[in-house]
Amino acid sequence: MSVLKVGIVGGTGYTGAELLRLIAGHPNAEVAMITSRAEAGVGVDELFPSLRGYTDLKFTVPDVSELAACDVVFFATPHNVAMKMVPELLAANTRIIDLSADFRIRDAKLWSEWYHEEHLCPELLAEAVYGLPEKKADQIKDARLIACPGCYPTSIQLGFLPLIEEKLIDTSRLIASAASGVSGAGRQAKVDNLFTEISDSFKAYGVSGHRHLPEIEQELSEAAGSDVALTFTPHLLPQVRGIHATLFSEIRDPAVGLDELQFLFEKRYADSPFVDVMPLGSTPQTRTVRGGNMCRIALHRPQNRNTVVVLSAIDNLVKGASGQAIQNMNLMFGLEESAGLNGISLLP
Amino acid sequence: MSVLKVGIVGGTGYTGAELLRLIAGHPNAEVAMITSRAEAGVGVDELFPSLRGYTDLKFTVPDVSELAACDVVFFATPHNVAMKMVPELLAANTRIIDLSADFRIRDAKLWSEWYHEEHLCPELLAEAVYGLPEKKADQIKDARLIACPGCYPTSIQLGFLPLIEEKLIDTSRLIASAASGVSGAGRQAKVDNLFTEISDSFKAYGVSGHRHLPEIEQELSEAAGSDVALTFTPHLLPQVRGIHATLFSEIRDPAVGLDELQFLFEKRYADSPFVDVMPLGSTPQTRTVRGGNMCRIALHRPQNRNTVVVLSAIDNLVKGASGQAIQNMNLMFGLEESAGLNGISLLP
Amino acid sequence: MSVLKVGIVGGTGYTGAELLRLIAGHPNAEVAMITSRAEAGVGVDELFPSLRGYTDLKFTVPDVSELAACDVVFFATPHNVAMKMVPELLAANTRIIDLSADFRIRDAKLWSEWYHEEHLCPELLAEAVYGLPEKKADQIKDARLIACPGCYPTSIQLGFLPLIEEKLIDTSRLIASAASGVSGAGRQAKVDNLFTEISDSFKAYGVSGHRHLPEIEQELSEAAGSDVALTFTPHLLPQVRGIHATLFSEIRDPAVGLDELQFLFEKRYADSPFVDVMPLGSTPQTRTVRGGNMCRIALHRPQNRNTVVVLSAIDNLVKGASGQAIQNMNLMFGLEESAGLNGISLLP
Amino acid sequence: MSVLKVGIVGGTGYTGAELLRLIAGHPNAEVAMITSRAEAGVGVDELFPSLRGYTDLKFTVPDVSELAACDVVFFATPHNVAMKMVPELLAANTRIIDLSADFRIRDAKLWSEWYHEEHLCPELLAEAVYGLPEKKADQIKDARLIACPGCYPTSIQLGFLPLIEEKLIDTSRLIASAASGVSGAGRQAKVDNLFTEISDSFKAYGVSGHRHLPEIEQELSEAAGSDVALTFTPHLLPQVRGIHATLFSEIRDPAVGLDELQFLFEKRYADSPFVDVMPLGSTPQTRTVRGGNMCRIALHRPQNRNTVVVLSAIDNLVKGASGQAIQNMNLMFGLEESAGLNGISLLP
């Protein structure tokens, strides 16, 4: 099999670095170019010395015609960048995997409300496939344009999906209390994300409305066949990687036992190489997925009351971003779903 | 005013060290003796070099007759220790502030279910006062025996109390997603609490039932005038100090606005020196209470839907343990409620 | 005794916040004004919520005539700010405690080499007193202008001074391998100091020449009566507070035993309330000085060879900055040297 | 090529877990058995959930006759275990890679002084090869018994070797100030290594004599052709992985410039896949080697004086233990030196 030529737009952030790390170990893909306007000309390994010895690439100024020579282009950019370049790349038959939020929301008006911009190519929103492989593998295979889910949305949807698809819970009042490592905030210089501001402390943020809410509600509503309502409270952890979601919902029929729920989850994810339904009684730790593409899930029903608690843990930079993007690439190009993604998490 | 003579039983843990730190700066109290069977004869400052220069005390073997010479004895012990010594000390007119769980649950049978032991002095359970000063200041003033609340219970009750007292929320389905620094687990040698097991990771634990649940339900039910049901999910943070509780509840009357709730909280805690109701839009960080006795609270109502989110942060070793114990002592002995507790939190 | 009116210039950094925290507990001083051009009009407790309830101050635009009404003005600014305002304030009989580097180097030319600026008031360099109380208490008492030592220089000088004053070591090849918490880098938005860049990692920096080198060599040479040469290698720790210096030197006379050195250190610092010479065999941990003004020192002589190893630990924001500044203020105004500085370090 | 059958003795520690992680990605080796007396019968992935999905192995009671069926046995045990089993395994033609200290010191008497035990098979000490591939590749290829270097010794020797081999420095007074993540202390329950004791703090330890000293002096003396003397001061970092060594030595001929030293290092390690001599001006961060087998080195000569400073960083669990062990296995069995060791370090 020939090797896929990959382009990465916006390579100076953590998801860019993570794409480089993962693709370096991928048997069927290699990075042909990586762009950064600010760092053009600089060696990738100057910014990320962990890559010394593994790459000779230099950052280049993004150029659509050069990128169009790639088989697939990943956007590891803030929102509002991909939508400026995607139409031209699609026209050149380059396939797109967008890690940003530009194509996640199918309703352009809703997108504008949350991202405070006009969408530049609303005509592509219907075509874009929301790239959660555990939900949309079939559509991903044929997609030209993938909108990779956000990190929180990945962990939250994987935890709620089996319950919602089987209509086992009251979807009018879902609660997600989730916590993320700081790498989710990117590599921008901000006082709030200094070591001295984050270390040894914990806080909620975005409580009144986080941008990941609408994509979660969109996708869970689709799965439910009706509108779901989610209260989503994100928190910031004093750690680099990892998202942990604690999901609360009311079971409709109290007679459905925890064992049945466990069986349901195991069956639902039996063919998903990157979802690990842990044995009853478990609690996933984020470090058990650090650096890996796995989502670990555990189910609880405290005091045997009617509230089901689902725990879900991923590495926000891998299954929550760059790993999932590669998982999508694998599906799009008919490769093994787990190609390049079998690295074991780093513990301790 | 004369200076209170304080005895501390079980001084080798973190709450013991914290009592020493705080009482060293208290104008009306001094530690007369501190006990530890295992470390008897060892200087307190050998175990805690931060105290070098501030104390000459050595640990002694606990002896009830010697302790009885103190005005007040603090138990900074695991559960099951205080109840062996308290009756004799009370008989000697020594007042007791128990930081452990021995006297928190008024129902001896319920206590036994959660703590897997027979209670040794159930006859004292009715007399013991649950030492949450913001709820029971009047009873505390006259108490001989105080059962200090657990760390989680303090943060959770202070966040729910105003809503419950005013019957504003549905108490049949309260949810508390809370997270604690590791110092809450004490100073015992356990693989699970090694730096290498905790650092850079996050997990839930005790999901099926944490021992702090019954005391929270007991006290909130008392405030509600009827049984409340709480789903309580604790998590472990990769940080030393701090508890953060994220509390979800359904408002009964959607017409009650967030401004009204804010006003209610501010009024409820107007005379409480250690509860800080932050301005609307705030999110408390645990580091803003690190080392201090403050509980910081903020209110949210996401998307103006019916779920109210209360955020509450304390230092588990101070307002969640040793600081609150001293606040109780101050009330019991007619001192200024904040005596010795005005140290400002360490930030950064 | 009347209460000193304190002004703070540059209050939005960590040393400014720390001055506020410490002076809030000082019996003879209060902050009358705190300046910040960028945050003028903002409440101090908005930037530092740990101060909520303890201060009503707002940041103001720095104004020399207003500052001149203070008894003493602290500069908690980057270098190059104090020297613009100090002459005018001195003329108004306001005493100055400068936490920055502007007046630490007595040779204006040397200062310019390291700080890449012309010095604006070289005529004051001879008058400025280097504010290391354990070395210059007498001069500090009469000083109008104090140049507080840097954080590394404080820890390194306190460790070398007794050996150098007694001419016990070869001063032609001193080595200091020191490590600092990130708070030493201040509260500026920089990618290098993000949590994600610092956490779980360690590195040396400034190996070829750190600005703290010349002030250390200046002061140690003064103590030696001849030029000393120091190789100073700073490192950055994944922690917020704390400096630890590991000092290597060759003993001149191998017959001088470790016991004698220990006795020498204990005698040298017998009257220094903030230097703790620990027992032989000890190793100071930075957490035992976290938040406190203490410097803890321990002596070693590995394998009884000729290299003496001195370990020295301080809190860079307290004994290395704001605490030492207040210690200087106490001496300047005839107060108890330890007034306001007796808070015990936060452990754990 | 057939696949090597690997046995691991002592698999419940961090180096055992790391061997499993690395061998899982090795093209020519697989773990056939892993022993633990305490956890016999327990699934490896119960102890290390990061391995869920990658292994079905269970811990077994160590049995020499079963281990003898392996091509190679790794000892990931505390010292004193390997030497009880090695003679019998060698007799059965099983090759041994010992990660413990049992065979590192060629002088049995010296070994006993530092490890406080009689050596049980001193006759094997002469045959055992000290497994630092960058120094002894040729001997490793033919070895039956490899004594893997300690973690500190690896980082320190790689930094000093080129200078010593070329007789460029004074070897009578070498200084190594090194710092290690806590994983170096293993997975034993000890109060000193609790998160609450380590986090946000830094200290020296073992200053008077650390067990890694004799093996460093032995090997560097061999390289020098005469006895070297090293002052070695280890420190404990508040991080999980990583060793950083800061090495000080005096250059014999001040005319030898830093450029020449840099050239020398680059040449010395030109064929070493796991030593990265960074460009002049660099400072290696431990996170750039986290999870990888690389040693990154940088050279400095502060103020152009005569003290050369070499900085050296490794992951203590990989190049300092399990990765180096596999590198040795690769050499012993004629495999590609880097087989299974090309995983890129996890950054951030």
Side-chain angles (χ1 to χ4, degrees):
Chain A
M1 164 172 291
S2 71
V3 166
L4 292 175
K5 284 182 61 182
V6 172
I8 299 174
V9 180
T12 61
Y14 295 133
T15 52
E18 201 67 354
L19 285 169
L20 288 164
R21 177 178 76 88
L22 293 168
I23 295 175
H26 196 294
N28 316 113
E30 67 181 19
V31 178
M33 80 186 58
I34 181 163
T35 78
S36 162
R37 219 171 281 277
E39 303 288 345
V42 173
V44 165
D45 62 358
E46 285 184 56
L47 238 73
F48 301 113
S50 53
L51 296 167
R52 283 178 56 86
Y54 295 96
T55 181
D56 293 328
L57 284 172
K58 289 185 192 304
F59 293 107
T60 58
V61 174
D63 178 288
V64 173
S65 62
E66 288 176 16
L67 287 165
C70 296
D71 296 301
V72 58
V73 170
F74 290 81
F75 282 86
T77 47
H79 65 89
N80 263 352
V81 174
M83 64 182 181
K84 289 176 184 150
M85 302 169 73
V86 161
E88 204 173 336
L89 287 167
L90 286 181
N93 284 322
T94 301
R95 291 167 93 172
I96 304 292
I97 297 175
D98 180 16
L99 283 78
S100 85
D102 285 6
F103 297 95
R104 290 179 193 159
I105 309 287
R106 284 187 287 279
D107 177 340
K109 188 155 156 292
L110 184 65
W111 191 88
S112 292
E113 279 168 26
W114 285 89
Y115 291 92
H116 308 305
E117 305 270 344
E118 279 300 296
H119 202 286
L120 298 181
C121 40
E123 70 283 2
L124 290 174
L125 292 175
E127 176 184 352
V129 175
Y130 188 80
L132 188 65
E134 290 76 13
K135 184 166 180 251
K136 306 212 167 178
D138 288 342
Q139 291 169 257
I140 290 165
K141 282 169 186 157
D142 301 321
R144 295 195 306 160
L145 168 56
I146 296 283
C148 282
C151 45
Y152 283 119
T154 297
S155 65
I156 292 170
Q157 291 174 67
L158 292 175
F160 272 136
L161 271 179
L163 296 171
I164 286 178
E165 290 168 349
E166 298 298 321
K167 303 195 184 305
L168 289 170
I169 54 171
D170 173 3
T171 55
S172 71
R173 195 189 156 212
L174 303 174
I175 289 175
S177 179
S180 174
V182 190
S183 58
R187 206 172 145 269
Q188 274 72 47
K190 284 183 57 178
V191 167
D192 279 358
N193 294 335
L194 292 175
F195 184 87
T196 38
E197 300 286 312
I198 295 291
S199 177
D200 210 48
S201 193
F202 183 69
K203 66 171 179 183
Y205 69 102
V207 185
S208 301
H210 186 285
R211 280 169 170 173
H212 284 172
L213 178 63
E215 69 179 274
I216 305 172
E217 290 193 336
Q218 164 186 288
E219 295 297 313
L220 292 185
S221 295
E222 185 185 72
S226 63
D227 282 359
V228 311
L230 173 70
T231 299
F232 166 43
T233 309
H235 301 76
L236 196 58
L237 287 165
Q239 70 187 56
V240 175
R241 289 167 180 254
I243 280 189
H244 183 284
T246 305
L247 310 175
F248 303 91
S249 61
E250 290 289 280
I251 198 155
R252 281 183 207 274
D253 177 1
V256 176
L258 187 55
D259 284 350
E260 289 171 78
L261 300 180
Q262 176 77 11
F263 179 77
L264 166 69
F265 270 71
E266 289 177 2
K267 203 179 101 194
R268 173 62 177 81
Y269 291 123
D271 297 327
S272 298
F274 297 117
V275 180
D276 172 25
V277 181
M278 302 181 78
L280 281 176
S282 302
T283 52
Q285 300 170 278
T286 60
R287 66 188 192 130
T288 69
V289 295
R290 179 169 46 208
N293 198 49
M294 199 67 79
C295 174
R296 299 199 199 276
I297 289 177
L299 304 181
H300 292 265
R301 191 168 166 185
Q303 283 78 52
N304 210 28
R305 293 173 183 168
N306 295 343
T307 301
V308 176
V309 179
V310 182
L311 310 172
S312 163
I314 61 171
D315 183 322
N316 55 303
L317 293 180
V318 189
K319 183 61 178 164
S322 303
Q324 184 148 270
I326 290 169
Q327 191 181 352
N328 277 307
M329 177 187 79
N330 291 342
L331 292 172
M332 288 168 88
F333 289 91
L335 306 170
E336 186 75 28
E337 184 172 352
S338 60
L341 295 172
N342 274 323
I344 295 179
S345 299
L346 204 63
L347 178 156
Chain B
M1 166 172 293
S2 70
V3 167
L4 293 175
K5 282 182 64 182
V6 172
I8 300 174
V9 180
T12 61
Y14 295 134
T15 52
E18 201 67 355
L19 284 170
L20 288 165
R21 178 178 76 87
L22 293 168
I23 294 175
H26 196 295
N28 316 111
E30 66 180 20
V31 178
M33 81 187 58
I34 180 162
T35 78
S36 163
R37 219 170 282 275
E39 304 288 345
V42 173
V44 165
D45 61 359
E46 284 184 56
L47 240 73
F48 301 113
S50 53
L51 296 168
R52 282 178 57 86
Y54 295 97
T55 181
D56 293 328
L57 283 171
K58 290 184 192 304
F59 293 107
T60 58
V61 174
D63 178 286
V64 173
S65 63
E66 287 176 16
L67 286 165
C70 296
D71 297 300
V72 58
V73 170
F74 291 81
F75 283 87
T77 47
H79 64 90
N80 263 353
V81 175
M83 64 183 180
K84 290 176 184 151
M85 302 168 72
V86 161
E88 203 173 338
L89 286 168
L90 286 181
N93 285 320
T94 302
R95 293 165 94 172
I96 305 292
I97 297 176
D98 179 16
L99 284 78
S100 85
D102 284 6
F103 297 95
R104 290 178 192 159
I105 309 287
R106 283 187 287 278
D107 177 340
K109 191 157 154 290
L110 184 64
W111 190 88
S112 291
E113 280 169 26
W114 285 89
Y115 291 91
H116 308 304
E117 305 270 345
E118 279 300 296
H119 202 286
L120 298 180
C121 39
E123 70 282 2
L124 289 174
L125 291 175
E127 177 185 352
V129 175
Y130 189 80
L132 188 66
E134 292 75 13
K135 184 167 180 251
K136 306 211 169 177
D138 288 343
Q139 292 168 256
I140 290 164
K141 281 169 186 155
D142 299 322
R144 295 196 305 161
L145 168 56
I146 295 284
C148 283
C151 45
Y152 285 118
T154 297
S155 65
I156 292 170
Q157 290 175 66
L158 292 175
F160 273 136
L161 270 178
L163 296 171
I164 287 178
E165 289 167 349
E166 299 296 323
K167 303 192 184 307
L168 289 169
I169 53 172
D170 174 2
T171 54
S172 71
R173 194 189 158 213
L174 303 174
I175 289 174
S177 179
S180 175
V182 189
S183 59
R187 204 171 146 269
Q188 273 73 47
K190 284 183 57 179
V191 167
D192 281 358
N193 295 334
L194 291 175
F195 183 87
T196 39
E197 299 287 311
I198 294 292
S199 177
D200 210 49
S201 193
F202 182 69
K203 66 171 178 183
Y205 68 102
V207 184
S208 302
H210 185 285
R211 281 171 170 171
H212 284 172
L213 178 63
E215 68 177 274
I216 305 173
E217 289 193 338
Q218 165 187 287
E219 295 297 314
L220 292 184
S221 295
E222 183 185 74
S226 63
D227 281 359
V228 311
L230 172 70
T231 299
F232 165 44
T233 310
H235 302 75
L236 196 58
L237 287 164
Q239 70 186 56
V240 175
R241 287 167 181 252
I243 280 190
H244 184 284
T246 304
L247 310 175
F248 303 91
S249 61
E250 291 288 280
I251 198 155
R252 282 183 205 272
D253 177 1
V256 177
L258 187 54
D259 285 350
E260 289 171 79
L261 299 180
Q262 176 76 11
F263 179 77
L264 165 69
F265 270 71
E266 289 177 1
K267 204 177 100 193
R268 173 62 177 82
Y269 292 123
D271 298 327
S272 297
F274 296 117
V275 180
D276 171 26
V277 181
M278 302 181 77
L280 282 176
S282 302
T283 51
Q285 301 170 278
T286 59
R287 67 187 190 131
T288 68
V289 296
R290 179 170 45 209
N293 198 49
M294 198 68 77
C295 174
R296 301 200 197 275
I297 289 177
L299 305 181
H300 291 265
R301 191 170 167 185
Q303 284 78 52
N304 208 27
R305 292 173 182 169
N306 295 343
T307 301
V308 176
V309 179
V310 182
L311 310 172
S312 162
I314 61 171
D315 184 321
N316 55 303
L317 293 181
V318 189
K319 182 60 178 167
S322 304
Q324 185 147 269
I326 291 169
Q327 190 181 351
N328 277 309
M329 176 187 80
N330 290 342
L331 291 171
M332 287 168 89
F333 288 91
L335 306 171
E336 187 73 30
E337 184 171 353
S338 60
L341 295 173
N342 274 322
I344 295 178
S345 299
L346 205 63
L347 179 155
Chain C
M1 168 172 290
S2 70
V3 167
L4 293 175
K5 283 180 65 182
V6 172
I8 299 173
V9 180
T12 62
Y14 296 134
T15 52
E18 201 66 355
L19 284 170
L20 287 165
R21 177 178 77 88
L22 293 168
I23 295 175
H26 196 294
N28 316 112
E30 68 181 19
V31 178
M33 80 187 57
I34 180 162
T35 78
S36 162
R37 220 170 280 276
E39 302 289 345
V42 173
V44 165
D45 62 359
E46 285 185 55
L47 240 73
F48 301 113
S50 54
L51 296 168
R52 282 178 57 85
Y54 294 97
T55 180
D56 294 327
L57 283 171
K58 289 182 192 307
F59 294 108
T60 58
V61 173
D63 178 287
V64 173
S65 63
E66 286 176 16
L67 286 164
C70 295
D71 296 300
V72 58
V73 169
F74 291 81
F75 282 86
T77 48
H79 65 89
N80 262 354
V81 174
M83 65 183 179
K84 290 176 184 150
M85 302 168 73
V86 160
E88 204 173 337
L89 286 167
L90 286 180
N93 285 321
T94 302
R95 291 166 93 171
I96 305 292
I97 298 174
D98 180 17
L99 283 78
S100 86
D102 284 6
F103 297 95
R104 290 178 193 160
I105 309 289
R106 283 188 287 278
D107 177 340
K109 188 155 156 291
L110 184 64
W111 191 89
S112 291
E113 279 168 27
W114 285 89
Y115 291 92
H116 309 304
E117 306 268 346
E118 280 299 296
H119 202 286
L120 299 181
C121 39
E123 71 283 3
L124 289 174
L125 292 175
E127 176 183 355
V129 175
Y130 189 80
L132 187 66
E134 291 75 13
K135 184 167 180 251
K136 306 212 167 177
D138 289 343
Q139 291 170 259
I140 290 164
K141 281 170 186 154
D142 301 323
R144 294 195 307 160
L145 168 57
I146 296 283
C148 282
C151 45
Y152 284 118
T154 296
S155 65
I156 292 170
Q157 291 174 67
L158 292 176
F160 272 136
L161 271 177
L163 295 171
I164 287 177
E165 290 167 350
E166 298 298 321
K167 304 195 184 304
L168 290 169
I169 54 172
D170 173 2
T171 55
S172 72
R173 195 187 157 213
L174 303 175
I175 289 175
S177 179
S180 174
V182 190
S183 58
R187 208 173 143 268
Q188 273 73 48
K190 284 183 58 179
V191 166
D192 280 358
N193 294 335
L194 291 176
F195 183 87
T196 39
E197 300 287 311
I198 295 293
S199 178
D200 210 48
S201 194
F202 182 69
K203 66 171 179 184
Y205 68 102
V207 184
S208 301
H210 185 286
R211 281 171 170 171
H212 285 171
L213 178 63
E215 69 178 273
I216 304 172
E217 290 193 337
Q218 163 186 286
E219 295 297 314
L220 292 184
S221 296
E222 184 185 74
S226 64
D227 282 358
V228 311
L230 172 70
T231 299
F232 166 43
T233 309
H235 302 76
L236 196 59
L237 286 165
Q239 70 186 56
V240 175
R241 288 168 181 252
I243 280 189
H244 183 283
T246 305
L247 310 175
F248 303 91
S249 60
E250 290 288 283
I251 197 154
R252 282 183 205 273
D253 176 1
V256 176
L258 187 55
D259 284 350
E260 288 172 78
L261 299 180
Q262 175 77 11
F263 179 78
L264 166 69
F265 270 71
E266 289 177 2
K267 203 179 101 194
R268 173 61 177 83
Y269 292 123
D271 297 327
S272 297
F274 297 117
V275 179
D276 171 25
V277 181
M278 302 180 77
L280 281 175
S282 302
T283 51
Q285 300 170 280
T286 60
R287 67 187 191 131
T288 68
V289 295
R290 180 169 46 207
N293 198 50
M294 198 68 78
C295 175
R296 299 200 199 276
I297 288 177
L299 304 181
H300 292 265
R301 190 168 167 186
Q303 283 77 52
N304 208 28
R305 293 173 183 168
N306 296 342
T307 302
V308 176
V309 179
V310 182
L311 310 173
S312 161
I314 60 171
D315 183 322
N316 56 303
L317 294 180
V318 189
K319 183 60 178 167
S322 304
Q324 185 148 269
I326 291 169
Q327 191 181 350
N328 277 307
M329 177 186 80
N330 291 342
L331 290 172
M332 288 168 89
F333 289 91
L335 305 170
E336 186 74 28
E337 184 171 353
S338 61
L341 296 172
N342 274 322
I344 295 177
S345 299
L346 205 63
L347 178 156
Chain D
M1 164 170 296
S2 70
V3 166
L4 294 174
K5 281 182 64 182
V6 172
I8 300 174
V9 180
T12 61
Y14 295 134
T15 52
E18 201 67 355
L19 285 170
L20 287 165
R21 178 179 75 89
L22 292 167
I23 295 175
H26 197 293
N28 316 112
E30 66 181 19
V31 179
M33 80 187 58
I34 181 161
T35 78
S36 162
R37 221 170 280 276
E39 303 287 344
V42 173
V44 166
D45 61 359
E46 284 184 56
L47 239 74
F48 301 114
S50 53
L51 296 168
R52 283 177 57 86
Y54 295 96
T55 181
D56 293 328
L57 285 171
K58 290 184 193 305
F59 293 107
T60 58
V61 173
D63 178 288
V64 173
S65 64
E66 287 176 15
L67 286 164
C70 296
D71 296 300
V72 58
V73 169
F74 291 82
F75 283 86
T77 46
H79 64 90
N80 264 353
V81 176
M83 63 183 180
K84 291 176 183 152
M85 303 168 73
V86 160
E88 203 173 338
L89 286 167
L90 286 180
N93 284 322
T94 302
R95 293 166 93 172
I96 305 292
I97 299 175
D98 179 16
L99 284 79
S100 86
D102 283 7
F103 297 95
R104 290 178 192 159
I105 308 289
R106 284 187 286 278
D107 178 339
K109 188 156 155 291
L110 184 63
W111 190 89
S112 291
E113 280 169 26
W114 286 89
Y115 291 92
H116 309 305
E117 306 269 344
E118 279 301 295
H119 202 286
L120 299 180
C121 39
E123 69 283 2
L124 289 175
L125 291 175
E127 175 184 354
V129 176
Y130 189 80
L132 188 66
E134 291 75 14
K135 183 166 181 253
K136 306 212 167 177
D138 288 343
Q139 292 169 257
I140 290 164
K141 282 170 186 154
D142 300 322
R144 294 195 308 159
L145 168 57
I146 296 284
C148 283
C151 45
Y152 284 119
T154 297
S155 65
I156 291 170
Q157 290 175 66
L158 291 176
F160 273 135
L161 270 178
L163 296 171
I164 286 177
E165 290 167 349
E166 299 297 322
K167 303 193 184 305
L168 290 170
I169 54 172
D170 173 2
T171 55
S172 71
R173 195 189 156 212
L174 303 175
I175 290 174
S177 180
S180 173
V182 190
S183 58
R187 203 170 146 270
Q188 274 73 47
K190 284 183 57 180
V191 166
D192 280 357
N193 294 335
L194 292 175
F195 184 88
T196 39
E197 299 288 310
I198 294 292
S199 177
D200 210 48
S201 193
F202 183 70
K203 65 170 179 185
Y205 69 102
V207 184
S208 302
H210 185 284
R211 281 170 169 173
H212 284 171
L213 178 63
E215 69 177 273
I216 305 173
E217 290 193 337
Q218 165 187 286
E219 295 297 314
L220 292 184
S221 296
E222 183 186 73
S226 64
D227 281 359
V228 312
L230 172 70
T231 299
F232 167 42
T233 310
H235 301 76
L236 196 58
L237 287 165
Q239 69 187 58
V240 175
R241 287 168 180 254
I243 280 189
H244 184 284
T246 304
L247 310 176
F248 303 91
S249 61
E250 290 289 281
I251 198 153
R252 282 183 205 274
D253 177 1
V256 176
L258 187 55
D259 284 350
E260 288 171 79
L261 300 181
Q262 175 77 10
F263 179 77
L264 165 69
F265 270 70
E266 290 177 1
K267 203 177 103 196
R268 173 63 177 81
Y269 292 123
D271 297 326
S272 298
F274 297 118
V275 179
D276 171 25
V277 181
M278 301 181 78
L280 282 175
S282 302
T283 50
Q285 301 170 279
T286 60
R287 66 188 191 129
T288 69
V289 295
R290 178 169 47 208
N293 198 49
M294 198 67 78
C295 174
R296 300 199 197 277
I297 288 178
L299 305 181
H300 292 264
R301 189 167 169 186
Q303 283 79 53
N304 209 28
R305 294 173 183 169
N306 295 343
T307 302
V308 176
V309 179
V310 182
L311 310 172
S312 162
I314 61 171
D315 183 323
N316 55 305
L317 293 181
V318 189
K319 182 61 177 167
S322 303
Q324 185 146 269
I326 291 169
Q327 190 181 351
N328 277 310
M329 177 187 79
N330 291 341
L331 291 171
M332 288 167 89
F333 289 91
L335 306 171
E336 186 75 29
E337 184 171 352
S338 60
L341 295 172
N342 275 322
I344 295 178
S345 299
L346 205 63
L347 178 157

